[in-house]
Amino acid sequence: MTCEESETKPCNIWTSKPNQHFSCAAISDISTHQYAACINNKLVIWDDSVPDITKVKPLVTMGTIQRLYPLDADGGCVMLYSNGAVYTTKMEQLLESVTEEQQGLLKPGEVIMDSHVWTSDGEGMYVVCLVEHTKQHSLFFTRIPGMNKSAEQVIRVSIDSPSKLLHTSFHTTNSQMVMHAVGKSQYE
């Protein structure tokens, strides 16, 4: 592929200090030029005017945010907390949203290993989590609620597996979801 010099466009690049790492992918609201991510499990929000995000003060949240997902082109986002709570809000309302404690959906000892957003044909949108608890695995389907609401509808599916899951990937269409898993035998 060749690229003409006239086709080049500036892009935003963010760096962090050696002791700081992005604990979830950054999301953006194109209309307001705002960005959000978690650095060392703390929420950071910034805009195009911030040249160095290491100087942005992290927000105190009521619970650890596991993952952020963009919801729509209007700046909506989904927050998945490590306790399994799912909450939707607009990017500009993140500051108010993170100070409210979200009721968790996981049992004690359960850990989210992986998560994805799935749009089901005519059924709405779901956050799908692969959850592990003492070598047992489950899939959680949590319906994404309306704006500024917590999720209440959860479907739990147990997975029978004689191996420890090391990696999963999800491939989805509007009517089905396929999970591919790579594991390591517990008997080795």
Side-chain angles (χ1 to χ4, degrees):
M1 181 172 120
T2 59
C3 184
E4 297 292 324
E5 189 174 319
S6 61
E7 294 176 13
T8 60
K9 296 180 182 176
C11 65
N12 293 330
I13 298 172
W14 308 292
T15 59
S16 61
K17 295 177 181 175
N19 63 345
Q20 295 178 324
H21 66 277
F22 281 82
S23 44
C24 78
I27 62 170
S28 66
D29 178 356
I30 296 171
S31 63
T32 63
H33 300 280
Q34 283 188 308
Y35 307 91
C38 291
I39 297 178
N40 293 347
N41 294 320
K42 294 182 179 161
L43 184 63
V44 179
I45 301 171
W46 71 98
D47 61 27
D48 283 339
S49 68
V50 177
D52 184 2
I53 64 169
T54 61
K55 296 192 179 7
V56 176
K57 184 177 178 187
L59 302 171
V60 176
T61 61
M62 297 301 288
T64 302
I65 297 174
Q66 175 98 13
R67 187 88 190 259
L68 297 169
Y69 291 102
L71 183 60
D72 56 34
D74 296 325
C77 71
V78 176
M79 293 182 286
L80 171 64
Y81 288 83
S82 61
N83 67 2
V86 173
Y87 188 80
T88 59
T89 189
K90 294 282 189 183
M91 286 275 288
E92 66 265 13
Q93 296 170 331
L94 271 175
L95 295 171
E96 297 91 40
S97 303
V98 296
T99 58
E100 299 173 20
E101 189 163 357
Q102 301 301 321
Q103 182 65 36
L105 304 171
L106 300 183
K107 296 176 185 171
E110 290 183 322
V111 177
I112 298 172
M113 304 299 291
D114 200 3
S115 64
H116 301 273
V117 170
W118 177 44
T119 303
S120 175
D121 198 19
E123 296 294 321
M125 293 176 69
Y126 292 83
V127 173
V128 181
C129 297
L130 174 65
V131 176
E132 182 178 61
H133 183 254
T134 61
K135 299 182 183 177
Q136 300 293 317
H137 297 91
S138 301
L139 283 177
F140 274 54
F141 293 82
T142 307
R143 188 180 187 120
I144 295 175
M147 208 45 67
N148 299 318
K149 293 183 182 172
S150 295
E152 297 172 359
Q153 186 179 13
V154 178
I155 301 167
R156 179 190 287 255
V157 179
S158 293
I159 301 173
D160 247 350
S161 173
S163 63
K164 176 171 176 51
L165 296 179
L166 301 174
H167 174 73
T168 60
S169 63
F170 291 87
H171 301 281
T172 64
T173 66
N174 284 349
S175 60
Q176 65 181 355
M177 180 178 65
V178 177
M179 180 182 89
H180 297 275
V182 175
K184 179 179 180 182
S185 174
Q186 299 177 44
Y187 307 111
E188 289 180 10

